[in-house]
Amino acid sequence: MLTPTTLNRILAVVTLAFCLSACNDQDNPTTVTPQLRKSIAYTKLTDTTTYANFFVDDAGVKTVDLTTGANRLLMFRAINTYNGTAVGTGATLDANVLKNMFSNTGNPFSGTANTALNTSGVQLRNVTASSLPAADAEKERQTIEASFPKIATASQSVSAVASEGKAGKLGSYLVDAQGIEYGQIIQKGLIGAFQVDYIGNVLLSDKNLALDNTTLVAGKNYTQLEQNWDEIYGILTANPIYGAKATATSSGESFIGSYIWEYNKDDFPKIYAALLKGRAAIVNNDMTVLKEQAAFIHLAMEKAIANAALGYLGKWKTAGTNTAAAAHAMGEGLGFIYSLRYAKLNKADAAFSDSVLAGLISAPNGFWGLTNAKIDAASAAIRTKFNIPV
């Protein structure tokens, strides 16, 4: 039989235990293991499943937030649009504006669609080449930034006709005194250094695919792993369904999303399914399927930039006496060859990329000194590295 003293002691212990339990629940209100959401059958995913709306929590509330990736894609687009104003309107470009857009400092973004980017809290610079050790990453960021004064200086000659040793326009393309189209160098360079490297080598790395998937990010309705995958989607495409706008003559996408369509025809129709299945695998805590989709997307991007580099080297040759077409092809080709240093699945690196670039344009007259032999040597090196048959 319990005495009053014993009963009081038991009640005190029970009260303390209840209090500790309640306090613990308040500290970690959203921690659920091993699976936070209801499982998704992969068979439910179709070509018309809308990524941003399909993934919801048990209460039907959306768990997808594309903001971070979408803002970075908008910044990339803003830089590209700004560079295009030199040819489009005859504007003289300012290298400092480009540098500020790259690092999102000094409120460089303007216009209805872009002003909010200034306070978005994200930038391109710190995720560019971010898979590399810090010193190497900084070197690559400075390489990108070194292109800004190059295009700014060339823009001062936008009303002139370019020729060997003289900056200006060839057809509708702005080139420097060496015949290099820096607008393409910047765009294609960022496809590799920002999109391919950050998506493929960082966000799709084993380290990031192992991010927390059981606890909601504070104040958000997604886990860190869900947000990691959503950022990939936002960087890859601005469309609700990647690839849905493609036609026989247009990808309906931009940057790497477009070049997968143009230079990796086999994989392009499968990318959206992989994005959906990977996101569902995160919900299902299915690491095997998640890593399969990650590996597919990563390799598809590398195939696209390798084939694009080869494609534009080929276009230089077929341009013949059309100097404007040849210069434009070489601008795109050089940018893609620079980007090959981020094709880690194919064991390419900066030494490989730089050696191919040096073989092409190390002569003082750059583009104007290109020969069929130089183009052929570059093509052969890329085919060997990426195991692409002739």
Side-chain angles (χ1 to χ4, degrees):
M1 182 176 179
L2 295 175
T3 65
T5 300
T6 302
L7 180 60
N8 287 337
R9 287 176 179 172
I10 292 174
L11 289 173
V13 170
V14 171
T15 301
L16 177 60
F18 178 81
C19 179
L20 289 174
S21 175
C23 291
N24 187 54
D25 287 345
Q26 289 170 1
D27 290 343
N28 303 286
T30 56
T31 298
V32 180
T33 57
Q35 189 166 315
L36 189 63
R37 324 267 188 210
K38 293 178 182 176
S39 294
I40 295 173
Y42 298 123
T43 53
K44 288 187 176 180
L45 306 172
T46 72
D47 290 344
T48 58
T49 301
T50 304
Y51 184 97
N53 297 332
F54 180 80
F55 299 99
V56 297
D57 64 14
D58 291 351
V61 180
K62 289 171 57 175
T63 63
V64 172
D65 186 343
L66 304 176
T67 304
T68 299
N71 281 339
R72 287 195 162 114
L73 183 60
L74 283 172
M75 289 175 177
F76 188 1
R77 186 168 294 165
I79 288 173
N80 198 55
T81 299
Y82 178 74
N83 284 339
T85 61
V87 169
T89 69
T92 298
L93 303 181
D94 186 332
N96 288 324
V97 170
L98 283 167
K99 191 172 183 179
N100 288 342
M101 294 171 87
F102 187 44
S103 61
N104 193 14
T105 55
N107 296 318
F109 298 103
S110 60
T112 303
N114 292 333
T115 300
L117 295 175
N118 296 319
T119 55
S120 63
V122 299
Q123 57 174 282
L124 294 186
R125 193 181 196 281
N126 66 352
V127 296
T128 292
S130 52
S131 75
L132 303 178
D136 293 339
E138 180 59 23
K139 179 182 176 183
E140 299 301 339
R141 290 162 188 161
Q142 290 179 8
T143 295
I144 296 289
E145 290 173 330
S147 296
F148 299 159
K150 295 282 190 180
I151 192 173
T153 299
S155 72
Q156 296 170 9
S157 303
V158 71
S159 61
V161 176
S163 58
E164 185 169 347
K166 180 181 177 182
K169 280 171 56 179
L170 287 174
S172 58
Y173 309 116
L174 176 67
V175 301
D176 74 351
Q178 291 185 308
I180 306 299
E181 189 184 5
Y182 271 93
Q184 291 299 326
I185 300 295
I186 293 167
Q187 183 193 115
K188 272 56 183 183
L190 282 175
I191 284 176
F194 161 49
Q195 290 186 306
V196 175
D197 186 60
Y198 185 49
I199 292 175
N201 299 322
V202 177
L203 297 177
L204 293 178
S205 66
D206 286 346
K207 177 183 176 181
N208 276 299
L209 294 180
L211 288 170
D212 182 17
N213 196 35
T214 60
T215 305
L216 296 181
V217 174
K220 305 295 183 182
N221 197 35
Y222 49 70
T223 68
Q224 193 59 61
L225 182 56
E226 289 173 331
Q227 173 57 195
N228 184 65
W229 197 264
D230 293 346
E231 186 173 359
I232 292 168
Y233 191 92
I235 291 172
L236 188 59
T237 179
N239 290 323
I241 296 177
Y242 172 79
K245 295 183 178 179
T247 67
T249 56
S250 173
S251 68
E253 300 290 345
S254 60
F255 307 126
I256 187 62
S258 176
Y259 285 99
I260 295 173
W261 170 82
E262 187 170 359
Y263 284 101
N264 188 356
K265 294 289 189 186
D266 290 341
D267 290 340
F268 175 73
K270 306 171 187 173
I271 293 291
Y272 188 57
L275 289 164
L276 287 174
K277 197 169 185 179
R279 187 60 161 79
I282 291 171
V283 171
N284 296 342
N285 277 342
D286 185 348
M287 289 302 295
T288 299
V289 170
L290 175 60
K291 288 191 174 183
E292 287 173 353
Q293 310 318 305
F296 172 77
I297 295 167
H298 191 176
L299 187 58
M301 291 191 297
E302 291 197 4
K303 287 180 182 177
I305 60 172
N307 284 325
L310 289 171
Y312 285 108
L313 289 172
K315 287 183 178 180
W316 178 89
K317 294 181 75 172
T318 58
T321 57
N322 186 338
T323 306
H328 182 59
M330 190 45 50
E332 298 211 52
L334 294 173
F336 277 119
I337 292 168
Y338 167 81
S339 288
L340 295 182
R341 71 192 58 216
Y342 301 104
K344 292 186 176 182
L345 294 180
N346 284 279
K347 303 187 184 310
D349 55 20
F352 167 76
S353 174
D354 287 342
S355 71
V356 177
L357 291 171
L360 287 167
I361 56 165
S362 58
N365 58 348
F367 159 78
W368 301 100
L370 283 170
T371 64
N372 282 337
K374 289 181 179 180
I375 296 292
D376 290 344
S379 297
I382 294 168
R383 289 186 185 282
T384 299
K385 173 64 72 177
F386 288 84
N387 194 28
I388 300 173
V390 177

